[in-house]
Amino acid sequence: MDNTVRVSKPYNLAAIRGLVRDAFTGDELRRFCQDRHKFRPILDHFGPSFSFVQMIDAVIEQCQVHALLPDLAAAIEEANPRQYERHLPHLFEESSSPRLNGVLPSTGTRDGGLLPVPTAPAPPAHFVDRQAELTRLVSCLAAGAPTATTALQGMGGTGKTALVKKVAAEAAGFFPGGVLWTTLGPQPDPFHILASWAIAAGGDVRSYTDLFHRAAAVRSLLASRARMLAILDDAWEYDCPFLLMQNALPANTSVLVTTRDADLAKQLRCRVENLDVLGEKDALALIENLIGLLDPY
């Protein structure tokens, strides 16, 4: 097995967005994700009334989180070579030196495959100001109490993940130990998550085959760091986030969970912040921002 770290030039996300837009229609993009195993989980992030632009954003966001941008580009090259060739000159940012493409090495154990780096993605370019919610969340997480556990709950497509990316950026100064970002989804793999957390903390727990022993080892590694913020995005079920919160994170860690499920937020004993759909004024502002992103060149 190849245990080296993939290295490449960083992708130009505006160009990737333009490539996806020009290579597919909305229905074609859905079929593209459905027909490819790696991209099929992205369909879970499409809201029922998502526009084509929102679908594109969801695809790119999830490819960033799971280090799938190279796979996305390669799949589009195969599916629509003409558009790929047209966009190819713009796909990579100019850089004097290559950098890690969002992945960590694998040791070929139970955690086969490359591990995502658990750092917070940048807020989306089309973010619409939700200042009241942003202020409340940052204040709660940065509060004097040693532990702040908060859940941001709302229906799919209300912008939970976009808001939490903004929270991570705004709150980072309160957490000298850093921000751990993990996207859970409907079928999270706690072994894989714990392995990536350990490597981010400078250790390696992949020799631990018992889940609770692995979680305890991660907790020991993280306990040596200054206060951290852990973000568990898109929680669907109870067991994985509960394990991470109770067994892997040090007691002084602030935790922010996003979920569509209000009952799950209460089960996790979180302070619940509800996120409603955008009001008319903010919705119009979002549409204007999205229209401005349609032509990246």
Side-chain angles (χ1 to χ4, degrees):
M1 177 178 290
D2 180 7
N3 292 331
T4 59
V5 178
R6 295 178 190 168
V7 178
S8 75
K9 287 183 179 180
Y11 280 96
N12 178 340
L13 294 183
I16 290 285
R17 181 178 286 105
L19 171 61
V20 176
R21 179 201 67 209
D22 292 344
F24 304 106
T25 64
D27 289 341
E28 287 170 346
L29 184 56
R30 285 183 183 274
R31 287 197 298 272
F32 172 85
C33 293
Q34 179 64 44
D35 293 343
R36 289 163 175 81
H37 176 73
K38 285 185 178 180
F39 302 108
R40 200 170 298 150
I42 296 175
L43 293 172
D44 294 326
H45 296 269
F46 287 0
S49 58
F50 262 24
S51 68
F52 183 38
V53 172
Q54 288 174 305
M55 290 166 59
I56 293 172
D57 281 349
V59 168
I60 292 174
E61 175 186 304
Q62 292 304 308
C63 285
Q64 282 184 276
V65 168
H66 298 289
L68 289 174
L69 285 176
D71 301 275
L72 177 65
I76 294 176
E77 181 182 14
E78 179 183 348
N80 195 329
R82 185 177 69 84
Q83 288 295 345
Y84 180 85
E85 288 298 324
R86 188 170 79 86
H87 287 266
L88 181 59
H90 308 283
L91 289 185
F92 298 98
E93 294 178 0
E94 292 301 321
S95 176
S96 58
S97 60
R99 67 184 182 189
L100 295 183
N101 193 31
V103 292
L104 291 169
S106 167
T107 57
T109 64
R110 180 202 183 285
D111 307 282
L114 295 165
L115 300 173
V117 178
T119 53
H126 60 263
F127 182 78
V128 170
D129 190 15
R130 286 182 179 265
Q131 192 58 50
E133 295 93 336
L134 179 63
T135 299
R136 283 198 300 272
L137 286 168
V138 172
S139 297
C140 177
L141 294 167
T147 303
T149 304
T150 303
L152 182 62
Q153 186 272 327
M155 62 183 290
T158 54
K160 296 184 297 296
T161 298
L163 175 57
V164 171
K165 289 178 184 178
K166 189 72 171 176
V167 169
E170 295 282 329
F174 295 100
F175 299 98
V179 178
L180 279 175
W181 178 290
T182 299
T183 299
L184 298 176
Q187 294 181 312
D189 183 344
F191 278 94
H192 213 58
I193 293 167
L194 291 168
S196 69
W197 284 10
I199 291 178
D204 193 338
V205 297
R206 286 173 285 188
S207 62
Y208 291 87
T209 57
D210 177 85
L211 184 59
F212 290 96
H213 289 167
R214 182 178 288 205
V218 169
R219 187 184 181 98
S220 295
L221 283 170
L222 296 177
S224 64
R225 301 173 70 90
R227 188 182 180 208
M228 296 182 302
L229 170 62
I231 295 175
L232 307 179
D233 185 40
D234 196 25
W236 286 56
E237 50 81 50
Y238 174 80
D239 291 341
C240 185
F242 181 78
L243 168 84
L244 297 173
M245 291 162 62
Q246 295 296 315
N247 298 88
L249 292 172
N252 67 340
T253 306
S254 288
V255 181
L256 178 56
V257 180
T258 73
T259 182
R260 304 179 187 191
D261 189 336
D263 291 335
L264 174 59
K266 294 174 183 176
Q267 279 184 297
L268 293 171
R269 298 180 182 177
C270 297
R271 188 191 74 86
V272 179
E273 176 83 23
N274 294 305
L275 189 66
D276 293 324
V277 296
L278 288 171
E280 182 178 356
K281 181 179 178 181
D282 286 338
L284 289 173
L286 175 60
I287 291 170
E288 289 177 1
N289 288 347
L290 291 173
I291 290 172
L293 292 172
L294 283 176
D295 188 359
Y297 307 133

